[in-house]
Amino acid sequence: MSKKVHIPLSMYGVAEVLKWCIDRNNGRVAGVDTGGFKQMQSLLAEKPTSNDYLALDQFWKKQVQLELTEDEVSTIDRCLYDIPNFDSEPLPQIRHKFWPAAVESH
């Protein structure tokens, strides 16, 4: 069992991680079916269904504290780096805005 890491992330960041690790992954990076990813998916499922701008804005800016294993962190790191490279796309903004500070803190 690997060590747990606490990572603060906005809901926007959670959505970005899931987009690259699950939606765009297509099985290229393994290990995205763990508890940490399921926790992120359930957090994202709480998104308001109304089109109320204020409610949606507050949802996307809400900060959550994720408890991930070191393996999950390295898997997310690989997803955010490898998949855009496979698709010849620029690295996602989350890599520059949120992720490096979170990863360095453990």
Side-chain angles (χ1 to χ4, degrees), residues 47-59:
K47 181 178 142 201
T49 52
S50 72
N51 287 332
D52 176 21
Y53 175 80
L54 187 62
L56 286 169
D57 187 53
Q58 287 176 336
F59 173 79

Side-chain angles (χ1 to χ4, degrees), residues 71-88:
D71 295 341
E72 288 168 336
V73 171
S74 68
T75 299
I76 292 169
D77 211 34
R78 283 189 52 215
C79 289
L80 294 177
Y81 184 77
D82 292 349
I83 292 172
N85 284 343
F86 290 145
D87 295 344
S88 299

Side-chain angles (χ1 to χ4, degrees), residues 4-66:
K4 294 277 187 183
V5 180
H6 292 276
I7 295 181
L9 206 54
S10 69
M11 289 307 293
Y12 166 77
V14 170
E16 192 74 3
V17 166
L18 290 176
K19 173 182 146 190
W20 287 101
C21 292
I22 294 182
D23 301 342
R24 303 284 299 272
N25 188 350
N26 298 327
R28 294 180 276 197
V29 176
V32 295
D33 56 352
T34 60
F37 287 100
K38 290 185 185 354
Q39 177 193 7
M40 285 189 274
Q41 286 172 314
S42 69
L43 285 169
L44 204 56
E46 297 170 8
K47 181 178 142 201
T49 52
S50 72
N51 287 332
D52 176 21
Y53 175 80
L54 187 62
L56 286 169
D57 187 53
Q58 287 176 336
F59 173 79
W60 290 118
K61 289 179 178 174
K62 182 173 87 172
Q63 290 288 323
V64 293
Q65 186 79 281
L66 296 174

